Amino acid sequence: MKEKVIRKHQQLFGEPAIVVKSPGRANIIGEHTDYNDGLVLPFAIDKCIYLAASKSSTGSSSVYAIDTDTFEENIQDRLDGFLQYFQSVLSYFKSIDLDVGHFNVTFGGDLPIGAGVSSSSAISCGFVRICQEFTQATFNKTDIVKAAFAAERGAGVDGGMMDQFSIVHGENDKVIYLDCQDRSWFDLAIDTGDYEFVLINTHVEHQLAQTAYNTRVAECKQGLAIIQQRDSEVSGFRDIRHHHLSYLQTPNQDRLKHVIEENDRVRKAVEAIRNKNTDHLGTLLTESHNSLRDLYDVSCDELDFIADKLNGHAQVAGARMMGGGFGGCIIALVEKDAISQIIQQWQEEYSETFGRRVSWFSVYPSAGLQVV
Ligand code: GLA
């Protein structure tokens, strides 16, 4: 894939000055906690995009996306589709007084788009690394995360920084424990024994996902504000205890109950990984799904269908919806090489019920953003 991207860039624009590999991410547990100062346990996956870039001397910038065969010339001020991620990174560099100048980028890879594996953050992080090169900014990993995060915020999602953090800090065979309150983190070696992580794509891209996401962010903030009016000792989300929830009504009560309990599940998942207790890790995934469905209300029929089929299956330790919700992927801990046969058992029923098919792939914790 790398060679294909480089070749295409050479054909269109000449020799690339830099080629960057930017992976997607999966999240084991800790969903809808990152923007609530909570805990997450993601990893960079072995699927990625490559971005080849060179400076342009034509007085304008162009981007070519191999996967969709889209050639965008003179992208100045264009915000449609994937161009918004390029523009928001450019705006970030402008805001810190660095001029990226004109450029040409070619990108493509095997990272599915719209599947909830953060293809947009893979673009942002990759393009930040390119802009760093072109402006000769002395960025460390923290600066790259900060830049990509700020850029994506500029693109209209009130999200947390789990995606950018895991894409930049990914390591082979390690997952990342990140405390989004103070951004302290460590990496954790993982060995799932006879099991592997599998992502099952519902192929649902919900139109309302972004709106609903921003609503959840607001509901949690509102819940916190109500609790703080009653208890001045509560300085932020992490001070909220179960007894505080009685100050709230639904939906705020349910949302914050999920956040408190999901943080607990992340702590327990760390222990399970350290003890190589895959069964327990799987049980935590199942509990997380139930909470995201019932308390946080970010699941959908397709996700629930797949989670129901997998949770309780003899060859599955556990499964849950992953990412923002309303579509995208299920992450499941499944006995190695068993997933195809398991899905065959209900593939037809899924298609008949929802009028679409599922697809799936295994994922392994892999190296993060790098110049190749
Ligand atoms: C999306 C966001 C992440 C995170 C998840 C939910 O993937 O990009 O920052 O909030 O949703 O956990």
Side-chain angles (χ1 to χ4, degrees):
M1 195 64 215
K2 183 177 90 183
E3 283 68 34
K4 189 171 169 189
V5 174
I6 293 174
R7 224 177 304 123
K8 197 72 207 176
H9 193 85
Q10 286 166 337
Q11 280 166 15
L12 292 171
F13 309 113
E15 210 52 46
I18 177 171
V19 181
V20 173
K21 178 183 176 185
S22 194
R25 67 97 187 90
N27 184 24
I28 299 177
I29 201 158
E31 213 66 87
H32 286 280
T33 47
D34 63 350
Y35 55 82
N36 289 319
D37 291 342
L39 308 175
V40 292
L41 201 59
F43 59 88
I45 63 175
D46 51 320
K47 296 208 178 291
C48 68
I49 54 165
Y50 290 96
L51 302 100
S54 47
K55 290 234 172 201
S56 158
S57 51
T58 61
S60 75
S61 301
S62 303
V63 180
Y64 178 68
I66 293 190
D67 302 339
T68 51
D69 188 19
T70 327
F71 195 8
E72 302 288 5
E73 284 177 288
N74 203 359
I75 65 160
Q76 191 79 16
D77 299 329
R78 294 261 314 275
L79 288 170
D80 45 311
F82 59 74
L83 289 179
Q84 62 183 308
Y85 302 108
F86 287 90
Q87 296 296 5
S88 46
V89 169
L90 290 172
S91 305
Y92 176 80
F93 275 81
K94 214 172 189 178
S95 76
I96 55 168
D97 288 328
L98 290 174
D99 181 15
V100 177
H102 296 293
F103 58 86
N104 296 312
V105 170
T106 307
F107 74 98
D110 59 359
L111 188 64
I113 292 169
V117 286
S118 271
S119 51
S120 49
S121 294
I123 295 177
S124 309
C125 292
F127 189 51
V128 166
R129 185 63 191 81
I130 288 167
C131 293
Q132 174 190 347
E133 195 77 8
F134 288 169
T135 57
Q136 294 184 333
T138 46
F139 277 12
N140 58 24
K141 286 186 178 182
T142 308
D143 299 320
I144 297 177
V145 172
K146 192 174 145 199
F149 175 66
E152 286 187 62
R153 279 249 157 152
V157 182
D158 301 335
M161 60 165 54
M162 167 171 75
D163 303 348
Q164 301 82 3
F165 199 95
S166 45
I167 287 169
V168 171
H169 288 276
E171 295 272 358
N172 286 326
D173 304 317
K174 285 180 179 167
V175 301
I176 292 166
Y177 168 93
L178 169 65
D179 184 335
C180 300
Q181 185 180 34
D182 58 10
R183 299 187 186 155
S184 58
W185 68 286
F186 55 83
D187 52 26
L188 184 65
I190 187 164
D191 172 5
T192 48
D194 297 336
Y195 287 78
E196 61 184 346
F197 285 109
V198 178
L199 301 189
I200 301 129
N201 189 350
T202 58
H203 287 279
V204 178
E205 274 183 70
H206 204 287
Q207 295 299 316
L208 292 175
Q210 189 158 322
T211 327
Y213 185 98
N214 290 348
T215 305
R216 293 296 174 279
V217 175
E219 285 166 346
C220 290
K221 277 194 185 139
Q222 195 182 37
L224 172 64
I226 295 170
I227 292 171
Q228 285 175 321
Q229 276 165 13
R230 301 273 299 266
D231 185 344
S232 56
E233 304 272 283
V234 174
S235 65
F237 286 107
R238 292 289 279 285
D239 293 334
I240 301 176
R241 299 290 172 268
H242 267 101
H243 72 269
H244 291 120
L245 298 176
S246 65
Y247 303 158
L248 304 175
Q249 295 181 330
T250 50
N252 311 70
Q253 189 179 59
D254 289 347
R255 308 296 186 247
L256 289 179
K257 186 166 190 276
H258 165 78
V259 174
I260 298 176
E261 294 176 353
E262 186 77 352
N263 284 336
D264 271 343
R265 280 188 284 270
V266 174
R267 294 188 192 96
K268 287 178 185 161
V270 169
E271 282 316 299
I273 290 170
R274 285 194 172 131
N275 298 330
K276 298 197 181 153
N277 188 341
T278 309
D279 282 346
H280 188 213
L281 186 58
T283 305
L284 294 166
L285 296 193
T286 308
E287 287 173 10
S288 172
H289 183 79
N290 295 345
S291 180
L292 289 157
R293 180 192 61 207
D294 300 336
L295 297 178
Y296 219 74
D297 199 14
V298 286
S299 191
C300 64
D301 291 343
E302 290 85 348
L303 287 165
D304 291 340
F305 176 101
I306 301 172
D308 277 355
K309 296 285 182 197
L310 296 179
N311 284 317
H313 191 288
Q315 290 172 295
V316 180
R320 66 173 197 85
M321 55 147 281
M322 191 186 81
F326 304 100
C329 281
I330 289 276
I331 181 167
L333 248 180
V334 185
E335 265 182 39
K336 280 183 182 152
D337 303 323
I339 191 65
S340 303
Q341 206 206 337
I342 294 172
I343 290 179
Q344 260 171 33
Q345 293 163 8
W346 44 262
Q347 164 99 289
E348 282 308 308
E349 189 187 342
Y350 183 90
S351 301
E352 273 162 29
T353 314
F354 301 113
R356 55 181 110 234
R357 292 181 72 76
V358 290
S359 60
W360 61 92
F361 49 95
S362 311
V363 281
Y364 304 93
S366 301
L369 178 76
Q370 53 192 295
V371 176
V372 290

